[in-house]
């Protein structure tokens, strides 16, 4: 992997994203895919996905179970499923490995393979080149984008979900473990859209509310013509500024689009919002990117 140039870093600051092809080797990508296969093979379906509900109250309990499962996933390895892949008893209607939408949110801390990738020397070197002084890892996810059912991800800014004061302290590392193409749901970006702040925030709902999180503000209607696609080959890395607007389309192809992604926060002089769904825990304070 060639070292990142100052020119590329300037391009990142101008566009709000940067494509670095062949950042990781095919072997590194394959080791992550093998590890996720093992994790899925051992996966237990969470209880809240397993019950046949009837009454309104039981539905609320299911929602609560599902929201607790999500809200407390920050320091664990947890499973999130595509729609319609489980029956009401929690039995798989499709092969198990094709049912999962994503796995999160602490692979970087709980799994040796993903931990090694997250803290790999080249990632740390890139952090230093970007001028990050006290970067910490806040979350990680393995995203499957299953063939035919991998849903679209509507236009959004990562800082809507991971809010900091000041803004501009969140950085996503998005690693293609397979070629990402326009057919299988590559990312699309609006270049330069990271300079206008954020318009929407996802915050923890007041206790007793029917949902675990709620949105404050709204996502504006973006012009489709402003987005440019960023297809990238297996092993490529896309750096994503926390406020750049991006999306991905439905995967209508026959092939999956596996990705490992993690988010880093510059902790120096930064306050992590107490309203974010994701909170550091005594078991897992946000670990330093630098080892």
């Amino acid at each position: 992997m060639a070292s990142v140039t100052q020119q590329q870093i300037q391009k990142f600051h101008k566009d709000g994203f940067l494509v670095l092809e062949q950042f990781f080797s095919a072997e590194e990508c394959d080791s992550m895919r093998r590890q996720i296969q093992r994790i899925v093979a051992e996966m237990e379906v969470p209880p809240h996905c397993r019950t046949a509900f009837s009454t309104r109250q039981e539905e609320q309990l299911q929602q609560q179970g599902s929201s607790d499962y999500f809200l407390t996933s920050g320091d664990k390895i947890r499973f999130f499923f595509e729609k319609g892949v489980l029956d009401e008893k929690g039995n798989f209607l499709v092969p198990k490995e094709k049912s999962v939408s994503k796995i999160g949110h602490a692979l970087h801390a709980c799994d040796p393979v993903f931990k090694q990738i997250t803290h790999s020397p080249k990632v740390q070197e890139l952090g230093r080149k970007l001028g990050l002084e006290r970067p910490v890892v806040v979350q990680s996810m393995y995203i499957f984008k299953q063939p035919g059912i991998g849903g679209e991800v509507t236009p959004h800014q990562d800082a809507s979900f991971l809010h900091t004061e000041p803004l501009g302290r969140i950085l996503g590392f998005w690693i293609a473990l397979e070629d990402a193409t326009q057919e299988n749901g590559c990312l699309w970006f609006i270049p330069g859209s990271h300079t206008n702040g954020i318009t929407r925030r996802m915050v923890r709902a007041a206790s007793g509310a029917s949902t675990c999180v709620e949105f404050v503000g709204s996502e504006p209607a973006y012009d489709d013509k402003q987005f440019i696609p960023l297809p990238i080959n297996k092993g490529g890395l896309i750096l994503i500024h926390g406020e750049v607007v991006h999306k991905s389309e439905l995967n209508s192809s026959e092939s999956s689009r596996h990705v490992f992604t993690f988010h880093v926060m510059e902790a120096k002089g930064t306050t992590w919002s107490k309203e974010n769904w994701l909170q550091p825990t005594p078991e897992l304070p946000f670990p330093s990117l630098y080892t």
Side-chain angles (χ1 to χ4, degrees):
M1 172 214 118
S3 200
V4 180
T5 64
Q6 273 314 114
Q7 220 169 357
Q8 286 173 305
I9 288 172
Q10 278 166 353
K11 191 166 168 49
F12 170 72
H13 290 305
K14 176 172 162 279
D15 292 339
F17 58 84
L18 180 64
V19 176
L20 298 169
E21 288 280 11
Q22 297 178 319
F23 193 86
F24 288 96
S25 67
E27 295 74 45
E28 286 170 314
C29 294
D30 295 342
S31 75
M32 287 187 263
R33 292 200 61 185
R34 279 195 304 273
Q35 189 67 352
I36 220 73
Q37 280 172 338
R38 288 185 204 111
I39 289 171
V40 169
E42 292 164 16
M43 164 178 82
E44 291 289 324
V45 176
H48 68 86
C49 297
R50 242 185 261 161
T51 344
F53 286 101
S54 47
T55 70
R56 185 80 191 100
Q57 190 184 354
E58 284 170 324
E59 269 174 33
Q60 283 177 330
L61 284 172
Q62 182 186 28
Q63 273 180 339
Q64 192 52 48
S66 138
S67 65
D68 288 345
Y69 187 77
F70 169 68
L71 282 180
T72 56
S73 66
D75 58 359
K76 299 178 188 70
I77 294 176
R78 293 228 162 134
F79 303 92
F80 302 91
F81 298 92
E82 291 288 359
K83 286 186 181 66
V85 298
L86 295 163
D87 67 16
E88 66 278 6
K89 297 193 184 71
N91 299 318
F92 290 104
L93 300 168
V94 301
K96 193 169 163 180
E97 64 283 356
K98 294 226 184 321
S99 67
V100 189
S101 153
K102 63 179 193 184
I103 297 178
H105 287 92
L107 287 160
H108 62 281
C110 301
D111 181 89
V113 173
F114 291 99
K115 186 175 192 172
Q116 192 179 2
I117 292 287
T118 303
H119 297 280
S120 57
K122 50 195 167 191
V123 169
Q124 297 192 38
E125 185 200 354
L126 180 52
R128 292 198 164 91
K129 285 251 168 80
L130 288 161
L132 300 177
E133 292 186 59
R134 292 213 341 253
V136 296
V137 186
V138 297
Q139 67 148 2
S140 56
M141 280 187 294
Y142 192 105
I143 302 169
F144 292 79
K145 200 79 164 177
Q146 302 283 5
I149 55 171
E152 66 168 337
V153 177
T154 55
H156 68 282
Q157 299 166 289
D158 293 343
S160 290
F161 305 91
L162 309 170
H163 190 265
T164 61
E165 283 171 22
L167 286 170
R169 301 303 172 87
I170 292 290
L171 179 62
F173 290 72
W174 192 94
I175 305 158
L177 305 183
E178 305 179 271
D179 294 351
T181 63
Q182 284 196 47
E183 292 67 49
N184 75 1
C186 71
L187 295 181
W188 295 66
F189 287 82
I190 300 181
S193 57
H194 60 303
T195 56
N196 306 324
I198 58 169
T199 58
R200 181 176 72 135
R201 281 184 62 184
M202 185 173 92
V203 298
R204 283 181 172 242
S207 62
S210 60
T211 55
C212 60
V213 293
E214 55 198 13
F215 283 98
V216 180
S218 60
E219 210 59 60
Y222 296 107
D223 177 1
D224 273 348
K225 292 194 280 299
Q226 289 186 288
F227 285 92
I228 62 162
L230 288 195
I232 188 167
N233 295 310
K234 173 178 175 174
L237 168 71
I238 302 180
L239 275 182
I240 304 175
H241 186 287
E243 283 118 80
V244 74
V245 177
H246 58 291
K247 66 173 183 175
S248 68
E249 305 289 344
L250 178 81
N251 180 359
S252 53
S253 78
E254 307 280 294
S255 54
S256 56
R257 190 221 67 187
H258 287 206
V259 164
F260 177 56
T261 177
F262 59 91
H263 283 90
V264 163
M265 169 179 74
E266 168 62 90
K268 187 180 178 188
T270 309
T271 309
W272 179 257
S273 172
K274 289 268 186 282
E275 294 181 304
N276 286 339
W277 77 266
L278 175 76
Q279 294 296 327
T281 63
E283 294 73 33
L284 184 61
F286 294 152
S288 170
L289 180 67
Y290 301 150
T291 49

